Amino acid sequence: MATSPQPAPPTTRPPSGISRRLLLTAATASALFVTATACGSAVNTAGGSSSGGLITLSMQNPDSKTQDPATWQLVQEFNKQHPDMKIKLEGQPVDQHEQRMTIAAQSGTLPEIFWVYDSLAKTMVKSGDLLDLSPILAENGLKAKFAPSMLDGFNQGGVQYGLPYQALVTGFYFNKTILDTHKIAVPETFDELVAAVKKLKAAGVVPIAQGANNSPYSVWAFLTMLDRFGYESKYQDILAGKAGYDNADFLRLYQHVDELAKAGAFPSNMNTQTYAQAVASYTSGKAAFLDAGVWEAEKIQKSSVGKDTGFWAGPTFTDGVGNQKLVMDVPSAPFVVSAKVKEDKKKYAAVKAFIQFYYSDAGQKILVDNAQPPVTTYKPEVDTTKASVFAAVLAEASKPGWTSPRAQPDLVVSAATASAMYDSFYGVMGGTLSPEEAVKNVQKTIK
């Protein structure tokens, strides 16, 4: 039996655009749950901390030990320190996990703590299914450990319903040796990127590794470019019907993407290769740039191009809108807590203790040790001789004078609109959509 697609970067959401975000009706959800259970894959505690525990942490990976070692290690350490509050770690592939959480909310059987896409979390908080975490944040100065942007996106109607699971830092990895060989400086502006693309293409080098097949979400660097054309200041009006996605500023960006495509920026097999194959083409030294994020740092480090790799937030635009010094460093999909936890003093105490530990400096160090950026203001110390790629990502994300949008553009719209955004970029990159058609296709999904 076919199973639901797995998120490409196994240790991340990632990026909430990695897989379809499902908001299911009760009937559809129940049918899907029966199907998943029949496959024997509804719940998997492989790699979990134990078969039982006072509270359960339910994740979007069926085997956290190998697919999300940072979370697995955090749970192991917490259980050692709090044997009376032991956490059971379980998980399912992302789509099945979303389905299961939908059903659990409807039946009142949500796990105590769980990962979920923000679109579903926002639905749950409206139904009163999620705990307001504000009182927990108020203890021990925990709230002060977060930059406001890491919390604001998970606050609705004054309810702090979620906390950032991991940070989402995206952009372009680049091969220093390839650029040096062809006497190309790391670009800063879009015009410099186009010039680099033309030079690399003429030399027979793939400029930017991209893979659209079964991976339409893999356009992270282009979502950041969207913010450089005023997305953050426009999207609320667009969603409210006061403006359109097919505005002149966004169209100008898509015209630039078309210019990149015509300059030969993307591999000829882009539409038939997957994101994972695009990563492999970069790690084997066949491409100069890779559109990806921090979740690939460790893999790239261990590859033959690790010592030659740097990280870049992407090009600025002379005809852009607003601040051009933007690097995508935002919270990914959140951790949330079942509202029913408040009814059990022991479970509430355990949830509170785990949250306090996860976001402590000790907890954040575990994230950093597993090549994940901290989501608090914790300042990591990274051995640049052993983790030069990860260090490059952190350095780019903290460049003086640069700031981050509050959220990745696809995380603040419906699943249908997010999917249309991915397809719009790949359509222009692959030559199947004109810039005008691309922005109109996205606008059609906005009700």
Side-chain angles (χ1 to χ4, degrees):
M1 173 180 171
T3 58
S4 298
Q6 300 261 349
T11 63
T12 65
R13 40 283 162 222
S16 304
I18 284 296
S19 188
R20 299 185 312 276
R21 286 169 289 182
L22 304 176
L23 298 177
L24 303 170
T25 62
T28 303
S30 298
L32 286 167
F33 181 69
V34 170
T35 303
T37 305
C39 291
S41 57
V43 181
N44 189 334
T45 56
S49 54
S50 69
S51 58
L54 178 62
I55 61 174
T56 295
L57 171 60
S58 188
M59 299 299 295
Q60 83 286 17
N61 293 302
D63 184 357
S64 289
K65 186 173 183 179
T66 58
Q67 295 177 305
D68 186 2
T71 300
W72 185 86
Q73 189 177 336
L74 276 155
V75 170
Q76 307 314 302
E77 187 60 33
F78 178 84
N79 285 348
K80 286 180 186 177
Q81 296 182 21
H82 303 84
D84 58 330
M85 297 180 172
K86 187 164 286 190
I87 294 174
K88 180 179 74 171
L89 181 60
E90 66 175 30
Q92 314 84 36
V94 64
D95 282 355
Q96 292 176 24
H97 178 78
E98 288 277 290
Q99 295 160 12
R100 182 169 174 262
M101 294 304 102
T102 301
I103 298 161
Q106 294 161 356
S107 61
T109 57
L110 284 167
E112 285 76 22
I113 311 176
F114 55 102
W115 176 101
V116 69
Y117 278 134
D118 192 41
S119 56
L120 182 51
K122 280 182 165 60
T123 298
M124 289 180 172
V125 75
K126 287 180 182 177
S127 303
D129 296 319
L130 301 183
L131 184 69
D132 183 359
L133 302 175
S134 300
I136 295 176
L137 287 174
E139 295 190 28
N140 301 322
L142 184 58
K143 187 174 182 179
K145 289 182 175 289
F146 294 91
S149 61
M150 283 289 171
L151 297 177
D152 290 351
F154 305 136
N155 191 300
Q156 183 167 283
V159 175
Q160 188 68 48
Y161 63 85
L163 297 173
Y165 151 60
Q166 290 178 358
L168 184 62
V169 183
T170 62
F172 290 108
Y173 290 100
F174 60 88
N175 187 311
K176 301 172 189 176
T177 298
I178 289 178
L179 296 185
D180 288 347
T181 298
H182 298 285
K183 296 181 172 54
I184 298 171
V186 179
E188 293 183 6
T189 68
F190 177 76
D191 289 342
E192 289 171 353
L193 175 59
V194 172
V197 161
K198 290 179 178 178
K199 200 167 186 180
L200 291 163
K201 180 69 174 178
V205 177
V206 172
I208 303 174
Q210 297 275 166
N213 186 24
N214 292 321
S215 318
Y217 50 79
S218 56
V219 288
W220 299 285
F222 294 89
L223 292 173
T224 304
M225 294 180 204
L226 195 56
D227 272 311
R228 295 192 180 107
F229 280 81
Y231 181 88
E232 192 160 54
S233 64
K234 289 181 171 71
Y235 81 86
Q236 290 181 329
D237 282 346
I238 292 172
L239 296 180
K242 298 176 182 178
Y245 190 94
D246 52 349
N247 62 76
D249 294 328
F250 290 3
L251 176 59
R252 201 158 59 252
L253 168 61
Y254 281 81
Q255 289 169 339
H256 285 311
V257 176
D258 187 45
E259 184 181 350
L260 269 182
K262 288 176 178 174
F266 310 110
S268 58
N269 65 341
M270 180 184 72
N271 289 327
T272 58
Q273 78 171 354
T274 64
Y275 165 72
Q277 290 169 326
V279 174
S281 72
Y282 177 82
T283 55
S284 62
K286 296 177 182 176
F289 295 89
L290 169 67
D291 182 354
V294 66
W295 58 88
E296 297 295 356
E298 192 167 16
K299 182 188 295 181
I300 293 171
Q301 188 73 60
K302 293 176 180 177
S303 75
S304 61
V305 302
K307 62 181 176 25
D308 300 321
T309 290
F311 188 76
W312 175 45
T316 60
F317 295 83
T318 56
D319 61 349
V321 176
N323 182 21
Q324 295 297 295
K325 293 183 177 180
L326 294 175
V327 56
M328 191 64 68
D329 181 10
V330 297
S332 67
F335 278 137
V336 296
V337 176
S338 168
K340 287 194 171 184
V341 164
K342 197 66 183 290
E343 301 170 8
D344 187 314
K345 289 184 179 179
K346 288 185 177 180
K347 289 186 176 182
Y348 182 77
V351 165
K352 182 167 65 174
F354 180 69
I355 289 173
Q356 290 281 345
F357 173 68
Y358 191 97
Y359 299 104
S360 69
D361 287 356
Q364 294 299 290
K365 184 178 184 301
I366 291 174
L367 281 183
V368 171
D369 288 346
N370 285 276
Q372 294 292 338
V375 294
T376 68
T377 54
Y378 168 71
K379 300 298 183 185
E381 294 182 7
V382 178
D383 185 344
T384 56
T385 62
K386 296 180 180 178
S388 60
V389 179
F390 181 51
V393 175
L394 294 181
E396 188 73 354
S398 59
K399 282 197 304 187
W402 285 61
T403 59
S404 173
R406 298 172 79 85
Q408 186 168 273
D410 60 327
L411 303 189
V412 295
V413 296
S414 70
T417 298
S419 180
M421 288 166 71
Y422 311 145
D423 292 343
S424 70
F425 280 113
Y426 267 127
V428 174
M429 291 154 70
T432 59
L433 291 176
S434 70
E436 292 78 9
E437 291 169 332
V439 293
K440 286 179 181 178
N441 284 356
V442 179
Q443 179 59 32
K444 290 175 184 176
T445 68
I446 300 172
K447 310 281 184 177

